[in-house]
Amino acid sequence: MKLSKLTSTLFATLLFFIASGFTSNEKAIKATEWKIDSVHSNITFEVSHFFTPVQGAFKKYDSQIYFSPENLEESSVNIDIQVSSIDTDNQKRDGHLQSPDFFNAEKYPTISFKSDRITKEGDNKFIAHGKLTIKDVTKDVKLPFTLLGVKDHPMKENTKVAGMKIDYSIDRTDFKVGTGDWAATAVVGDNVDISIALELNSVN
């Protein structure tokens, strides 16, 4: 009887240590924090003017990115874009786009995306499910992105470098970008193609 109890106790102890080992391994795998290398990153867009595509970019943006393919549960992608940093290579047009006719940058200074969860869709293919806010409109969106690669940074000790590419299209009228006469799509098209290319450095 005593031997049976001793055996049971040893077995329970063994199970405890095994379970603790698995728990410790799970906790040890944290989603990596990343910082954007803005010199080698860009946020661009393209929209038609009559028939011709016109390109532009946003030059200033902030981010909070935690991402590890092996730990999507703790991964997240949050980006805030400064509307006043819009650049279409034409100062007059940039000013018009910041006016109440379009983005109304004074009242709504940022465009933001905040993820709720990230899912894997294939080899190095992911979707960030979250909320996109432009002006006073917030919509649920699914941003597909590709992890271009991860490796040790050759110029920074104990640092990883990664690449991430996001391509997405929105209807500007869904977010009230273009009011009054500019809500019509005869001159400025409704579809806006967005491309976000990010070079990321891990945060130690």
Side-chain angles (χ1 to χ4, degrees), residues 90 141 150 174:
N90 183 289
V141 300
V150 181
D174 288 343

Side-chain angles (χ1 to χ4, degrees), residues 116-135:
D116 300 320
R117 60 190 176 94
I118 296 176
T119 58
K120 186 173 183 178
E121 300 300 313
D123 290 342
N124 295 321
K125 302 288 185 181
F126 303 87
I127 291 182
H129 306 252
K131 291 177 169 48
L132 175 64
T133 300
I134 302 176
K135 298 178 75 171

Side-chain angles (χ1 to χ4, degrees), residues 20-62:
S20 297
F22 280 121
T23 302
S24 297
N25 286 339
E26 287 178 359
K27 288 183 178 179
I29 301 173
K30 295 292 185 182
T32 303
E33 181 179 1
W34 300 92
K35 182 179 180 181
I36 293 177
D37 180 351
S38 58
V39 175
H40 301 104
S41 302
N42 56 77
I43 297 178
T44 61
F45 62 89
E46 181 176 285
V47 62
S48 63
H49 185 266
F50 289 114
F51 306 106
T52 308
V54 175
Q55 291 82 31
F58 291 97
K59 299 295 188 177
K60 294 181 180 179
Y61 39 88
D62 301 306

Side-chain angles (χ1 to χ4, degrees), residues 11-165:
F11 184 68
T13 303
L14 180 61
L15 286 178
F16 171 78
F17 280 112
I18 291 173
S20 297
F22 280 121
T23 302
S24 297
N25 286 339
E26 287 178 359
K27 288 183 178 179
I29 301 173
K30 295 292 185 182
T32 303
E33 181 179 1
W34 300 92
K35 182 179 180 181
I36 293 177
D37 180 351
S38 58
V39 175
H40 301 104
S41 302
N42 56 77
I43 297 178
T44 61
F45 62 89
E46 181 176 285
V47 62
S48 63
H49 185 266
F50 289 114
F51 306 106
T52 308
V54 175
Q55 291 82 31
F58 291 97
K59 299 295 188 177
K60 294 181 180 179
Y61 39 88
D62 301 306
S63 69
Q64 287 184 323
I65 298 175
Y66 295 86
F67 180 73
S68 295
E70 67 276 12
N71 188 1
L72 295 181
E73 186 175 341
E74 293 186 10
S75 296
S76 60
V77 176
N78 300 330
I79 300 175
D80 293 312
I81 301 170
Q82 304 302 314
V83 175
S84 61
S85 72
I86 196 167
D87 183 357
T88 64
D89 202 28
N90 183 289
Q91 189 173 1
K92 181 178 179 180
R93 179 168 57 206
D94 294 344
H96 190 201
L97 288 171
Q98 294 178 58
S99 76
D101 282 344
F102 287 95
F103 285 104
N104 199 349
E106 185 174 348
K107 188 174 182 179
Y108 307 108
T110 60
I111 297 169
S112 67
F113 171 78
K114 300 188 182 302
S115 69
D116 300 320
R117 60 190 176 94
I118 296 176
T119 58
K120 186 173 183 178
E121 300 300 313
D123 290 342
N124 295 321
K125 302 288 185 181
F126 303 87
I127 291 182
H129 306 252
K131 291 177 169 48
L132 175 64
T133 300
I134 302 176
K135 298 178 75 171
D136 59 346
V137 179
T138 299
K139 290 186 175 293
D140 292 320
V141 300
K142 299 177 182 179
L143 290 185
F145 69 91
T146 302
L147 181 64
L148 302 175
V150 181
K151 69 176 184 178
D152 292 331
H153 201 301
M155 301 175 188
K156 296 181 180 180
E157 190 175 356
N158 299 321
T159 301
K160 297 283 187 181
V161 60
M164 186 181 290
K165 185 73 161 57

